[in-house]
């Protein structure tokens, strides 16, 4: 469970924050804010992906009946988790806002403000870890209900792959392929946990059960509060980077000019309109799946059109500018403005609200760049038997050599030992310790070549520029700095 010391510190502040912040948001936040819409889209993509998988599994009536009690337990567990998250939101908003306020002044952040924001962040992590552990305990029950063909289909399911397929059908174990509107699970989370151990399963196996009941984080006031928290966290990350770069007045003026000129064309169609279109298409897809057992052709067409528009003209969760030829030119222009030392800071930047203690030096704006592929690999190896770990590491190193060239026997063994040492460290950690250190450990064993699928020219410097320095929200922060540094 969550650290009792941390909970005690938080409890005294939460009660006084709830009424103030919920009332303020109810009065001030308009409906359909971009961050709120992005949150709804993420939820809907998970629901659509789950419903598509459940539909294609061809569950028998007996299987649905056996799934019902476990689906009810999953829904209750997730609802309890979301109530805990909702209870934390007012305190988190206040803590992150104080951190942002001090970071904005660029005079350092006080220890008590860092500690309070860090408490909230770590509590968020512990809540996620505890939920994952509770759901993982239910996996064997679900596996026992499914046939081997259905299990193979679940594990190979990819909402972003090619089209069609059912268990035992023409595509057999190769999975259902492209499922328009869905999204893949995060690294380290199995398909079964992400798509089947979800409240959506209850709606599928028993449409009458809680069909109209809202999950805690979907309540309008709570969703608005969550969107506000995400916005403040995003601002804090941006400020961490700006502070670490130590931009000169001339550099700030040049960056502002580029962003202001790009902004007129980039957002001409409106971020909110694009997000609303995508959300509405996903809502219709969910309705089709629940009532028709599949997505209607006209809904599929709408999903494709809104997703394409979304890719061109919106930023999910306010992540910044999208990648297109004009934007890549702007990235190059910003790179020319920065010094070699500043580009080095960008190359090491990993967004975080409160940087780890060993990264709070102003020159180091964030955590080291991570590799999500290796993070997922570590997650799997923590739980695998050691004989399987050793075989898998050997295969991983062999695969690396196919891409980067053959090593000598000594070099090969050194690489194997390097990976095994990090895996042993990961296996010795508690769930919470690993969640906090996963990115750092993944960085230690990151391969020296770009993994397959990475865009040509996609580097951490360009990524940070696109995400933060070409985001229009950087303008007020730079204006404020310039007002005190003409």
């Amino acid at each position: 469970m969550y650290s009792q010391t941390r909970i005690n510190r938080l409890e005294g502040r939460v009660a006084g924050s709830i009424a103030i912040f919920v009332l303020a948001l109810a009065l001030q936040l308009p409906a359909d804010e971009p961050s709120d819409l992005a949150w709804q889209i993420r939820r809907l993509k998970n629901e659509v992906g789950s419903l598509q998988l459940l539909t294609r599994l061809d569950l028998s009536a007996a299987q649905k009946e056996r799934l019902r009690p476990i689906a009810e337990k999953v829904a209750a567990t997730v609802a309890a988790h979301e109530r805990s998250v909702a209870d934390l939101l007012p305190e988190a908003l206040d803590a992150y806002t104080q951190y942002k306020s001090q970071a904005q002044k660029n005079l350092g952040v006080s220890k008590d403000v860092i500690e309070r924001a860090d408490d909230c962040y770590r509590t968020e992590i512990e809540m996620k870890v505890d939920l994952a552990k509770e759901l993982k305990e239910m996996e064997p029950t679900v596996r026992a209900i499914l046939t081997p063909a259905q299990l193979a289909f679940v594990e190979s399911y990819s909402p972003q792959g090619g089209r069609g397929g059912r268990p035992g059908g023409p595509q057999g174990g190769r999975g259902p392929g492209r499922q328009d509107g869905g999204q893949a699970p995060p690294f380290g989370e199995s398909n079964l946990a992400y798509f089947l151990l979800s409240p959506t399963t209850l709606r599928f196996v028993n449409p009458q059960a809680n069909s109209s009941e809202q999950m805690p984080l979907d309540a309008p006031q709570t969703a608005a509060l969550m969107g506000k928290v995400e916005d403040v966290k995003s601002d804090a990350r941006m400020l961490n980077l700006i502070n670490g770069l130590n931009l000169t007045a001339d550099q700030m003026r040049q960056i502002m000019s580029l962003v202001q000129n790009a902004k007129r064309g980039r957002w001409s169609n409106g971020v909110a309109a694009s997000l609303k279109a995508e959300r509405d298409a996903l809502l219709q897809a969910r309705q089709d799946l629940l009532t028709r057992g599949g997505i209607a052709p006209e809904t599929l067409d709408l999903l494709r059109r809104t997703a394409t528009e979304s890719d061109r003209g919106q930023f999910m969760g306010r992540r910044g500018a999208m990648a297109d030829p004009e934007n890549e030119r702007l990235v190059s222009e910003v790179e020319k403005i920065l010094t070699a030392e500043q580009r080095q800071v960008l190359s090491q930047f990993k967004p975080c609200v409160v940087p780890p203690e060993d990264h709070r030096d102003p020159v180091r704006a964030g955590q080291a760049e991570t590799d999500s592929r290796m993070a997922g690999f570590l997650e799997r190896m923590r739980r695998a038997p050691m004989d399987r770990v050793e075989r898998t590491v050997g295969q991983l190193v062999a695969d690396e050599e196919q891409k980067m060239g053959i090593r000598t026997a000594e070099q090969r063994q050194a690489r194997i030992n390097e990976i095994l040492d990090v895996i042993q460290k990961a296996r010795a950690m508690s769930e919470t310790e690993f969640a906090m250190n996963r990115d750092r450990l993944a960085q230690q064993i990151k391969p020296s070549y770009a993994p397959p699928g990475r865009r040509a020219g996609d580097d951490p410097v360009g990524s940070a520029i696109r995400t933060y320095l070409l985001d229009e929200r950087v303008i007020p922060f730079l204006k404020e700095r310039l007002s005190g540094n003409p």
Side-chain angles (χ1 to χ4, degrees):
M1 288 300 293
Y2 319 135
S3 162
Q4 191 56 51
T5 303
R6 190 172 303 127
I7 291 296
N8 290 342
R9 281 204 296 265
L10 291 172
E11 279 180 345
R13 297 190 292 253
V14 169
S17 302
I18 291 176
I20 296 171
F21 281 104
V22 171
L23 177 60
L25 286 161
L27 293 174
Q28 295 174 13
L29 280 184
D32 292 337
E33 278 281 295
S35 54
D36 189 15
L37 287 163
W39 165 249
Q40 293 175 51
I41 287 168
R42 286 195 296 274
R43 301 273 278 193
L44 284 165
K45 282 185 174 180
N46 176 236
E47 289 187 53
V48 168
S50 296
L51 288 169
Q52 286 174 319
L53 175 55
L54 286 161
T55 299
R56 286 168 171 77
L57 282 178
D58 290 328
L59 296 168
S60 67
Q63 284 179 311
K64 289 183 180 179
E65 191 60 33
R66 291 174 66 191
L67 270 175
R68 184 181 299 185
I70 193 71
E72 290 172 348
K73 185 176 180 181
V74 167
T77 300
V78 174
H81 163 76
E82 291 196 2
R83 282 192 290 272
S84 296
V85 173
D87 288 344
L88 178 67
L89 288 175
E91 167 66 10
L93 178 58
D94 196 28
Y96 296 146
T97 299
Q98 284 194 26
Y99 182 95
K100 171 188 168 181
S101 178
Q102 291 196 7
Q104 208 162 343
K105 296 173 183 175
N106 198 23
L107 297 174
V109 181
S110 64
K111 182 179 177 181
D112 62 319
V113 169
I114 289 176
E115 183 182 76
R116 188 181 177 200
D118 198 44
D119 279 345
C120 289
Y121 175 70
R122 289 174 181 270
T123 301
E124 285 180 46
I125 295 291
E126 289 177 2
M127 286 177 176
K128 290 177 183 177
V129 168
D130 282 352
L131 175 65
K133 287 169 65 177
E134 288 188 69
L135 294 179
K136 191 166 185 63
E137 291 173 0
M138 304 181 202
E139 277 197 40
T141 306
V142 178
R143 289 183 179 278
I145 294 170
L146 302 179
T147 67
Q150 287 172 329
L151 276 173
F153 190 76
V154 169
E155 292 307 328
S156 61
Y157 176 70
S158 173
Q160 298 173 349
R163 172 174 291 284
R166 290 176 185 272
Q171 291 186 327
R174 291 188 303 178
R178 179 171 180 78
Q179 310 300 328
D180 296 275
Q183 64 183 8
F187 279 93
E189 189 165 1
S190 70
N191 274 3
L192 189 146
Y194 187 69
F195 291 114
L196 298 188
L197 296 180
S198 157
T200 307
T201 300
L202 180 59
R203 299 184 67 182
F204 183 82
V205 299
N206 184 17
Q208 286 74 42
N210 300 320
S211 58
S212 62
E213 185 175 322
Q214 212 169 32
M215 291 298 288
L217 294 184
D218 288 327
Q221 287 185 339
T222 305
L225 184 57
M226 190 155 193
K228 187 66 174 174
V229 169
E230 290 304 312
D231 278 349
V232 175
K233 288 166 72 174
S234 183
D235 286 344
R237 295 183 187 106
M238 182 175 285
L239 285 164
N240 287 338
L241 179 57
I242 293 171
N243 292 345
L245 289 174
N246 292 314
L247 297 164
T248 67
D250 188 52
Q251 286 177 317
M252 287 188 276
R253 292 190 190 95
Q254 290 182 68
I255 291 171
M256 279 179 54
S257 177
L258 286 170
V259 176
Q260 287 169 330
N261 289 333
K263 174 185 168 185
R264 287 195 289 272
R266 190 186 310 137
W267 308 125
S268 58
N269 293 328
V271 176
S274 178
L275 287 166
K276 283 180 187 177
E278 184 173 8
R279 180 204 51 193
D280 292 346
L282 287 164
L283 282 169
Q284 186 58 54
R286 183 181 67 179
Q287 183 65 18
D288 287 356
L289 285 160
L290 287 170
T291 58
R292 302 167 51 123
I295 301 177
E298 58 271 22
T299 307
L300 280 173
D301 183 57
L302 184 61
L303 280 170
R304 294 184 187 113
R305 284 190 285 110
T306 56
T308 299
E309 181 64 25
S310 166
D311 290 342
R312 290 175 181 167
Q314 61 94 1
F315 47 98
M316 291 295 296
R318 299 192 178 216
R319 282 200 301 255
M322 60 289 173
D324 58 30
E326 171 61 14
N327 202 52
E328 294 310 299
R329 182 189 68 79
L330 293 169
V331 169
S332 178
E333 291 296 319
V334 173
E335 283 199 61
K336 293 174 185 174
I337 294 169
L338 302 175
T339 66
E341 291 77 12
Q342 289 168 331
R343 290 194 294 272
Q344 178 65 21
V345 170
L346 285 170
S347 73
Q348 296 179 328
F349 183 70
K350 171 68 168 65
C352 50
V353 179
V354 181
E357 200 164 325
D358 58 343
H359 286 85
R360 287 177 191 159
D361 187 300
V363 175
R364 304 180 70 180
Q367 301 172 24
E369 181 201 6
T370 190
D371 185 306
S372 54
R373 175 174 169 268
M374 298 310 294
F377 170 78
L378 283 176
E379 182 83 44
R380 294 189 297 275
M381 292 301 98
R382 288 185 73 237
R383 297 181 171 85
M386 274 309 297
D387 59 339
R388 180 184 164 197
V389 169
E390 291 170 358
R391 289 196 307 272
T392 305
V393 171
Q395 185 60 53
L396 175 69
V397 173
D399 290 344
E400 285 181 356
E401 292 184 13
Q402 290 184 4
K403 299 177 178 70
M404 62 179 292
I406 302 299
R407 298 178 172 98
T408 65
E410 292 78 10
Q411 289 172 331
R412 184 179 302 117
Q413 190 58 51
R415 174 62 173 158
I416 289 172
N417 292 343
E418 174 188 39
I419 297 172
L420 288 174
D421 286 347
V422 172
I423 290 173
Q424 290 286 16
K425 291 177 185 176
R427 291 169 72 95
M429 292 178 176
S430 68
E431 292 286 346
T432 301
E433 287 174 327
F434 179 70
M436 299 299 298
N437 290 281
R438 184 180 66 173
D439 289 351
R440 179 179 59 80
L441 294 174
Q443 173 66 19
Q444 292 177 18
I445 57 172
K446 177 183 174 182
S448 58
Y449 62 90
R454 175 171 285 184
R455 276 187 316 164
D458 187 13
D459 63 285
V461 174
S463 178
I465 290 172
R466 278 189 296 272
T467 304
Y468 295 100
L469 297 185
L470 288 177
D471 185 333
E472 61 185 317
R473 290 180 309 112
V474 79
I475 294 174
F477 293 137
L478 296 184
K479 278 185 176 178
E480 184 179 29
R481 294 287 164 90
L482 283 170
S483 66
N485 184 22

